[in-house]
Amino acid sequence: MRSVLAVIDLQNVFADPASEWFTPRFAEVVPRIARLVTAFGDDVVFTRFIAPAKPEGAWQQYYEQWPFALQPPESPLYQVVDAFHPQSTVDATTFGKWTPRMATRVGGARLVLAGVSTDCCVLSTALAAADAGVSVTVVSDACAGVDDESHAKALDIMRLYGPLVKVATTEEVLG
């Protein structure tokens, strides 16, 4: 079965230690993600979390808590880190990146997920894709959470969705 790698939200806002959304193990997963990107060739899609122009519903409260994030999509904080140069990205104002555009890009393939944060955007994307009937593999050591405990808990939750969601290491995926 063909596989598509989705690199979830590998953006400056999560990489920068000065950011309120800094993901501590971000730098540790970048080399593994680079290996995956190379191995998957043209079957790679990068995603970006971006702020809505005008938050609505519960998102209003969210951005009251995180006002620094109300910046336009072209803001440096929302750009993919310099280690990667995607031609295009699937952008969403939601945690989950299982959007119609992502679904079209993946087609009937298996979806392989890497990126940040395990306990938010990766989890939300994995569960939505699995609900849509897509076979999902989450690359445990190519994801990072807000902390180690949250990362481990999110992986445990996703394992509960087997066989729709599988958790594997970089070596297992590339092997």
Side-chain angles (χ1 to χ4, degrees), residues 28-165:
E28 291 176 32
V29 301
V30 169
R32 291 183 202 108
I33 292 172
R35 286 182 62 212
L36 291 164
V37 167
T38 299
F40 277 77
D42 291 336
D43 287 325
V44 177
V45 59
F46 281 79
T47 72
R48 294 189 313 153
F49 178 84
I50 57 171
K54 184 177 184 325
E56 296 188 13
W59 287 105
Q60 290 173 317
Q61 275 186 293
Y62 183 82
Y63 286 102
E64 286 170 11
Q65 183 176 340
W66 306 106
F68 85 95
L70 281 174
Q71 296 189 34
E74 59 275 5
S75 168
L77 78 118
Y78 286 131
Q79 301 313 303
V80 172
V81 293
D82 289 341
F84 302 95
H85 304 283
Q87 297 300 312
S88 65
T89 57
V90 171
D91 297 345
T93 59
T94 56
F95 297 141
K97 303 307 179 296
W98 187 252
T99 63
R101 184 166 173 220
M102 179 70 83
T104 298
R105 178 69 178 82
V106 173
R110 173 179 63 138
L111 179 62
V112 178
L113 298 176
V116 299
S117 87
T118 317
D119 42 316
C120 186
C121 297
V122 174
L123 174 67
S124 297
T125 303
L127 299 186
D131 271 351
V134 176
S135 175
V136 177
T137 298
V138 177
V139 189
S140 59
D141 61 348
C143 292
V146 296
D147 56 45
D148 291 347
E149 183 180 6
S150 298
H151 169 77
K153 285 179 179 178
L155 292 173
D156 287 343
I157 288 168
M158 289 185 275
R159 284 183 184 101
L160 294 173
Y161 285 80
L164 298 173
V165 178

